[in-house]
Amino acid sequence: MGIEGQERLRAARALVVGAGGLGCPAALYLAAAGIGRLTIADSDKVDLTNLQRQILYRTDSVGAVKVEAARDALNAVNPDVQVTPLQKRLTGEDAASLVSRVDVVLDCSDNFVTRHALNRACVAAKKPLVAGAAIRFDAQLMVFDFRQADSPCYSCLFPEDSQVEEVQCSVMGVFAPLTGAIGAMQAMEAIKLVAQVGESAKGKLQIFDALRAEWRSVKVAKDPACVVCGKS
Ligand SMILES: [Zn+2]
């Protein structure tokens, strides 16, 4: 990355939404790599049954507020990172004001309401969004760089009004190392974006099938009729 890339990383602010299976490894790599400031948002407390994938926590943090335990763990790795814990589930308004204050957003959440709120906020503020998702043995990684006018958005791919059945890890379960892999890739793409190195994975949906150990990459085009980004 070079000195310049390191300096850009140190000056950068990231928002990680969700301190679970994706958010833990993503935040850990961002902090260890030396990102300047990191806000981490989640409303939950640490649960024993999630420790196999929520790798920032230990058995003695069970019952603690996740984002506070996360801050302590991140600062134990790198005390120079300014971590802001936010114990709440983000709404549209919160998302807009938080997103406007950072350089990159990592969607590590587990529900469509948060995903769409973050997408809208990132489109409006023209901030890059790195979205990850994992369920059972299947995962997805998407990068949207709204600094570029022709970028598709999350809603181009999964329209806000579509009747998708929501399946959450809390119900269906997820293969723990898979969330680790996707969370680490989210950190990787976020670091590349703020340090301005390489080419981001933007404009494509990457799908990983852990059972077959196979990646697929699908090009995503901007939908001119998209209710979120179509008119911009
Ligand atoms: Zn769109």
Side-chain angles (χ1 to χ4, degrees), residues 90-124:
L90 290 193
T91 63
E93 257 175 52
D94 292 333
S97 96
L98 279 168
V99 164
S100 68
R101 281 179 270 149
V102 298
D103 303 301
V104 64
V105 177
L106 288 83
D107 179 357
C108 301
S109 72
D110 63 352
N111 67 87
F112 286 119
V113 172
T114 304
R115 287 188 187 286
H116 284 298
L118 281 177
N119 179 59
R120 270 189 183 267
C122 288
V123 169

Side-chain angles (χ1 to χ4, degrees), residues 34-47:
I35 192 139
R37 280 178 279 174
L38 199 162
T39 299
I40 186 157
D42 197 304
S43 61
D44 289 343
K45 292 187 172 161
V46 179
D47 189 302

Side-chain angles (χ1 to χ4, degrees), residues 119 123 146 151-157 222-223 226-230:
N119 179 59
V123 169
F146 301 120
S151 172
C153 83
Y154 187 78
S155 187
C156 292
L157 202 57
K222 186 180 177 93
D223 177 0
C226 173
V227 295
V228 178
C229 74

